[in-house]
Amino acid sequence: MGSKLSRPVLMAMLIVGVSVAVIFTITPWNWTPIQVTEDVTVLAVTEYGCVAESQYGTSVVVSECNAKVGDVVSATFYIPSSEVNEFYDKQQQKVELVQPEP
């Protein structure tokens, strides 16, 4: 006598399988922090160092900074990899393709 899996059990297994596939294909590549070094313009000088904004819109604090407001300094910091690989921009372009025009 053979045993059969019920439909709800098969659906649950399918959902779990798809979830695992999505987690392992999308998450590591788009949300893992990566190190970036770029030249930033100093916006303020505080007791902790110079505060600047990167081209990605990230606030950056450069410790042990002797620069003045307006000077350009090199900064190394971490950002989600999706900022660099333009993941969200590509997703938005796909959404715009399938949305009907008003």
Side-chain angles (χ1 to χ4, degrees), residues 11-92:
M11 289 300 292
M13 290 172 54
L14 178 65
I15 290 170
V16 168
V18 169
S19 299
V20 168
V22 166
I23 288 171
F24 284 111
T25 58
I26 294 177
T27 302
W29 298 110
N30 294 306
W31 289 284
T32 302
I34 60 169
Q35 189 175 40
V36 175
T37 300
E38 70 177 59
D39 290 334
V40 294
T41 303
V42 176
L43 301 175
V45 178
T46 68
E47 61 188 64
Y48 301 106
C50 299
V51 179
E53 185 175 3
S54 74
Q55 69 180 9
Y56 302 104
T58 303
S59 294
V60 180
V61 176
V62 181
S63 59
E64 299 179 20
C65 176
N66 298 324
K68 299 176 189 138
V69 174
D71 289 352
V72 176
V73 295
S74 180
T76 301
F77 53 96
Y78 289 92
I79 60 171
S81 59
S82 60
E83 297 291 328
V84 176
N85 68 16
E86 300 173 351
F87 174 75
Y88 292 116
D89 294 336
K90 292 174 187 173
Q91 295 305 312
Q92 184 61 34

